[in-house]
Amino acid sequence: MESRELWAEEAESEVVRDWHDALGRVELDLQRAVAQIDPVPWRPPIALGPIPPELVERAARLLEAQLHTIRYLEDVRQTTAKHLAAVRSVPPAEPGAHPVYFDLIG
């Protein structure tokens, strides 16, 4: 094998390794978001170049998982906002016993 071909093959394997690492970090960030662990601010990878063809399917699955997680977190946010609104609608406590009712369905 010529040195030029060997160099190209080594460069290609380095690109694939770099992309594997980058996708692995994104997957870990996604797992942390779902597990409600303090997220680390995302920083896009630098100088990776085009994604290797063998990693396109993995990246597509990861994108779909991210979109699903965004929808899930938005649903949780909306539910939490409704619960907070219900709690805030209760007037402050006054002296003496007063019954308090929460409408959790409406």
Side-chain angles (χ1 to χ4, degrees), residues 14-104:
E14 185 176 336
V15 167
V16 170
R17 187 173 50 253
D18 290 346
W19 268 100
H20 270 294
D21 293 345
L23 292 174
R25 285 190 299 275
V26 173
E27 287 169 339
L28 182 60
D29 290 345
L30 182 61
Q31 291 168 357
R32 291 175 62 129
V34 172
Q36 299 179 354
I37 298 171
D38 292 335
V40 176
W42 184 73
R43 291 183 179 83
I46 299 172
L48 284 181
I51 189 167
E54 62 266 27
L55 296 178
V56 169
E57 187 177 319
R58 178 181 175 193
R61 284 192 314 267
L62 182 54
L63 176 61
E64 184 58 37
Q66 286 178 316
L67 295 173
H68 175 75
T69 301
I70 288 168
R71 289 188 296 270
Y72 166 75
L73 292 174
E74 180 58 25
D75 288 346
V76 170
R77 187 196 67 76
Q78 289 178 9
T79 300
T80 302
K82 288 176 185 176
H83 290 173
L84 285 172
V87 169
R88 289 181 181 136
S89 71
V90 176
E94 297 176 12
H98 296 289
V100 177
Y101 300 94
F102 287 98
D103 180 4
L104 296 177

